Each structure stands twice: as C-alpha cells, then as structure tokens.
Amino acid sequence: MKVISHGGAGRKVSKTHMNIAICDDEGRIREGIHTVLREAFPEMMIREFASGQELLEAVWEQYTPDIVLLDIAMDGMDGMETARKLRELSDVLLIFVTGIKEQVFQAFDVGAFHYLLKPVEKEKLLSVMERAIAEAEKTKTKPKYMLIKVADGYRKLDIADILYAESEGRKVILHTKQEKLEFYEKMEELERRLGEGFYRCHRSYLVSLSEIRGYDSTSITISNDEQIYLAKRKYSEFVQKYYKFLQE
C-alpha cells in the first residue's frame, strides 16, 4: 500500500510553535504523514490519534491543536462526526484526508480549510500545510474560544466575555460578563492559553486588555467598574503593553 509519495525541497520555517494533530485509524498513514511533517517543520509539536474519540478526549483534557489532519472514513466515530464535535469546542483548522474523492464535498459542511486525497502526495501535503500554518499564525495569538473543565462538565467559553482571572489557591476564578466560573488550572497555563489580549498584572490577576477602563500606579479599573491589583514592579511594563494594544 502506498502511504505517501516523496520528493521535494525545503520549506519556509514558521516562527510560531503550533500543535498539529494527525487523526487516522490507519497507523501507516499516520506515521507517513508524521514523518514528512516532522522533517519539514521540526519546530511543530505533532501528535497522532487513532480515532476521533481519542482526539476529542485529548481536547477535553485541554489539548489545543491548531491544525488537525483528519481522515473521513474511520471505524467508530467517523471524521465528519469528529469534525462537528471539534467545531463545538474550537475554531481549529481542519484538513480532511480521504481515499474517496466523493467524500470531499462533505468537508465544506464543517468549514474545512482544505482536503487531501490518499495516497497523499508529499509536495501537495507540504503546500497545503504551509498555507494552513500561515493562516493559523494570523489568529494564534488571539484565540476566540477556550474550553474549561468545571464541576458539572466542560464549558466552551467566548474569550471576548472574559473580564479577568483571579487565582485562589489551586483554583482559578474566571470573571466573565455574565458569571463567575471556578476550575483547577495554573495561572501560567491560563495565561498561555488566553494569548496576547491578556496581561498578568499581578501574580494573582490576569486582565483582559480590551476590558480596561482606566488605571493608576497600583490598580486597574475594568469595564464593570471593579478594580484589580497592579503590581508596582509591573507598572512600566503594563503601560507599554497597554499602549501597544491600543495602537493595534
């Protein structure tokens, strides 16, 4: 069985580290794609998944892929069902991989970025991946949604609704425009997940820059008139960060 055809040259190196998921129930297909991507994009973090359920379970446990290469015809949960469930959780870029040309048209129902036909041609794979990486880089620092694990299950949260986050022991209290949500996560990890639109103004506080109404040398006032601490040692850095944010 021909897994992937080879040939080709070097690629442009991305400046952004990304998570790439390969989901296919055929091990040889996964391994073939993984090998090509690892050689072409060594800076990327690549994971393999043998089923849609396995991929979704990883996402529920806070794995955040930027690009997913997804087989359509898989045993158990097929690629289309997996894609629909992924769409409920994130805006990940989807690239379908299929051996049946007629299945390609289904890809557009879930907003797929592109599709690849098996056996996957190396140059076609790398060309599509370069464009996908370039597209993902545009939005990586400004994610739209995040998934959090709360007491009664999982919640998909619109990041635009977040005012600020507050740490309390091992818990994080997320203050949104509608409610407060408590869950277990390190502030450092939450800061990474939320991206450039947030600033760690104090060891216990992470504030949305778009929700700031005013500030002084020791506090920040946000859009609901609450005030949160601003560490004195972070004042100068905060001012630079905030002004840069306003100019973008």
Side-chain angles (χ1 to χ4, degrees):
M1 178 181 174
K2 191 176 183 182
V3 178
I4 190 162
S5 56
H6 290 267
R11 324 304 299 182
K12 296 178 181 177
V13 177
S14 169
K15 296 178 181 179
T16 307
H17 292 277
M18 291 190 184
N19 292 324
I20 298 175
I22 304 167
C23 185
D24 197 306
D25 59 358
E26 295 183 71
R28 292 182 64 198
I29 297 292
R30 293 196 310 272
E31 292 167 11
I33 292 174
H34 192 155
T35 298
V36 171
L37 296 185
R38 185 176 63 245
E39 291 174 354
F41 308 107
E43 72 281 5
M44 300 300 173
M45 300 297 294
I46 304 170
R47 286 181 62 177
E48 295 182 29
F49 299 90
S51 69
Q53 184 65 33
E54 187 180 323
L55 171 60
L56 288 169
E57 286 175 358
V59 172
W60 289 330
E61 291 300 322
Q62 311 300 346
Y63 173 60
T64 53
D66 299 290
I67 300 170
V68 174
L69 292 108
L70 182 62
D71 184 21
I72 292 180
M74 293 188 290
D75 291 335
M77 184 185 297
D78 66 20
M80 291 306 301
E81 184 180 356
T82 302
R84 291 189 185 98
K85 290 182 181 297
L86 278 174
R87 276 282 171 260
E88 295 174 2
L89 303 174
S90 73
D91 292 325
V92 63
L93 265 70
L94 294 172
I95 299 172
F96 279 108
V97 183
T98 179
I100 305 173
K101 193 172 184 178
E102 288 71 22
Q103 290 181 327
V104 163
F105 299 104
Q106 300 176 49
F108 301 106
D109 293 339
V110 289
F113 178 77
H114 214 290
Y115 65 89
L116 295 164
L117 291 174
K118 297 179 181 179
V120 180
E121 296 180 4
K122 179 179 180 180
E123 279 305 300
K124 181 67 173 178
L125 168 62
L126 294 179
S127 174
V128 169
M129 282 300 299
E130 280 191 336
R131 282 181 281 152
I133 289 168
E135 183 66 25
E137 283 180 333
K138 295 177 184 177
T139 58
K140 185 170 175 62
T141 57
K142 297 180 180 179
K144 293 181 181 179
Y145 300 98
M146 67 180 297
L147 188 68
I148 61 173
K149 186 176 182 179
V150 292
D152 57 350
Y154 292 86
R155 291 279 301 274
K156 179 184 178 184
L157 190 64
D158 189 335
I159 288 175
D161 285 338
I162 299 174
L163 300 173
Y164 67 96
E166 175 185 7
S167 68
E168 189 175 272
R170 295 173 56 208
K171 285 186 177 181
V172 167
I173 303 172
L174 209 57
H175 298 254
T176 77
K177 295 175 182 177
Q178 297 84 20
E179 60 186 329
K180 294 180 184 179
L181 297 168
E182 293 188 10
F183 57 101
Y184 291 96
E185 185 159 3
K186 292 181 178 179
M187 284 289 275
E188 290 78 10
E189 177 62 17
L190 182 62
E191 183 178 7
R192 184 194 66 78
R193 291 175 65 198
L194 288 173
E196 293 295 317
F198 286 74
Y199 182 73
R200 186 79 172 273
C201 57
H202 184 276
R203 66 180 181 178
S204 299
Y205 291 94
L206 183 62
V207 65
S208 171
L209 294 171
S210 63
E211 296 298 329
I212 293 174
R213 178 173 290 178
Y215 63 90
D216 57 33
S217 60
T218 59
S219 66
I220 295 172
T221 304
I222 54 178
S223 57
N224 66 351
D225 290 329
E226 284 189 64
Q227 289 188 325
I228 60 176
Y229 289 115
L230 171 59
K232 290 183 178 180
R233 63 182 179 82
K234 288 204 163 191
Y235 178 76
S236 296
E237 181 185 82
F238 164 72
V239 171
Q240 292 178 10
K241 177 86 172 182
Y242 186 51
Y243 272 76
K244 182 180 178 183
F245 173 80
L246 293 176
Q247 291 168 3
E248 291 177 348

